[in-house]
Amino acid sequence: SRRRLPPQTWPDSINQANKLALLAWARDSGIDLVQVNGQRRYGGPPAGERRGLWGGLWGGSPGVHRAAGCPTGWVGDPPPPGTEVFIGKLPQDVYEDALIPLFQSVGKLYEFRLMMTFSGLNRGFAYAKYGSRRGARDAVASLNNFEVREGCAIVVRRSTEKRELSVDGLWAWLRPRELETVLRRATPGVLRLALHASPGHRRAQLAVVTYSSHQAAAMAKKTLMEGNTQLGGAEMTVEWLNPSLKQKLQLCKKPLPVQTQAQGDRSRCIPAQVPPAAGSSRQPPGALEQLQALCRRQRLGTPLFLTRCLRAQPDGWLQLWCRVLIPGCPVPFSTVAWVRQDAPGSSWHEEAKAAVALQLLPLLGES
């Protein structure tokens, strides 16, 4: 009968001989391999704390060590675009002890990344980045269709190195500077971004975000898809930027209808507002309750309202600056609202909350 292995040991039992050969090769050659987020890396830019090869690389508890610099001996800025190659059709039990010497034989490596499964097999593909474009050209010319094992020819071609993501379904009140601050904190490597009206969602925005490298963009895509950064509703999507979509956005640029109002040393982008005509400032009943219910459904937390009076009109109208802080949204919503100072049955703070809720509901996708 087949004996069931304990859960913590089953990855170690897969392809054990080749794993032991890799460990011996890494120890003897002094090669530093780093396991991070489903890929194992050799070389690349210096990092702070890394998952080490010797601390449970095959599914155990990861060790952490501090890297002093690039293991390949690279000095200076990373290589320019066009220096990376894609390697496909790899046998899943082939590791760096066979692949790194092979790809080093045609040029100086800056970085080598092997995509890994939890069990310790490779996922059938890897990336090699060279110190120059010539190294990448030589790798394609020499190693495409090379048999790493009898009957197992690999594919080597120039990597596309995509660096642009499209993030659709963003909150309509997000502004470029605010969004950039959040993205830089959550996803390192942001170079620039642009906001557009979403072509597929009403009352939503689409951001085109450019990263410093393909690896930075890929890691950002993974982070944003995990949903820990609340930037939009349930329909927010993160994709590689499609060339046809990029062309469409470039042809259909439309400025957002906002004005900037200075507040001391800071500028806030707020929707254009004018004092209401004579009459009541009372909002349709239930706007605030609808907003609170919507936040509960989307698990965003209870909204917190901050208000400040900007000016008072002789006819009794108050212009208020309002900010709504929603715990599940990293960026607050700021606007102005007009309320009557003598509004019956409620304070001007409560009137302002209802007025802002009425503005915020459509931006969150509620009619």
Side-chain angles (χ1 to χ4, degrees), residues 94-168:
V94 170
Y95 299 123
E96 290 89 344
D97 55 327
L99 297 174
I100 288 178
L102 175 64
F103 282 85
Q104 279 179 329
S105 67
V106 297
K108 182 174 177 58
L109 279 178
Y110 169 75
E111 182 181 62
F112 188 91
R113 294 182 291 123
L114 182 63
M115 305 300 118
M116 301 296 297
T117 68
F118 178 76
S119 67
L121 296 172
N122 77 62
R123 293 169 57 192
F125 66 100
Y127 294 90
K129 183 182 271 298
Y130 286 88
S132 66
R133 293 188 178 95
R134 179 177 179 177
R137 288 196 301 267
D138 290 346
V140 173
S142 303
L143 300 177
N144 187 39
N145 292 322
F146 180 85
E147 290 193 355
V148 293
R149 185 179 295 164
E150 186 176 356
C152 296
I154 61 175
V155 170
V156 181
R157 62 171 182 264
R158 190 72 62 90
S159 173
T160 55
E161 296 190 68
K162 298 177 181 178
R163 297 189 300 151
E164 292 180 306
L165 298 180
S166 67
V167 186
D168 200 0

Side-chain angles (χ1 to χ4, degrees), residues 145 228 267:
N145 292 322
N228 296 325
S267 294

Side-chain angles (χ1 to χ4, degrees), residues 321-338:
W321 171 78
C322 307
R323 171 165 285 189
V324 185
L325 305 174
I326 301 177
C329 301
V331 180
F333 171 73
S334 299
T335 186
V336 293
W338 291 88

Side-chain angles (χ1 to χ4, degrees), residues 165-233:
L165 298 180
S166 67
V167 186
D168 200 0
L170 296 171
W171 303 123
W173 74 80
L174 285 173
R175 302 296 174 229
R177 183 175 298 178
E178 297 170 331
L179 177 60
E180 184 175 357
T181 299
V182 174
L183 288 178
R184 285 187 183 279
R185 186 164 57 241
T187 61
V190 175
L191 287 183
R192 57 185 176 274
L193 65 86
L195 275 176
H196 307 266
S198 172
H201 304 284
R202 294 183 60 190
R203 306 186 187 95
Q205 298 184 95
L206 179 145
V208 174
V209 190
T210 304
Y211 286 85
S212 57
S213 67
H214 173 77
Q215 185 178 358
M219 295 305 299
K221 183 173 182 287
K222 181 178 184 296
T223 299
L224 294 174
M225 288 178 65
E226 287 173 349
N228 296 325
T229 305
Q230 290 283 351
L231 294 169

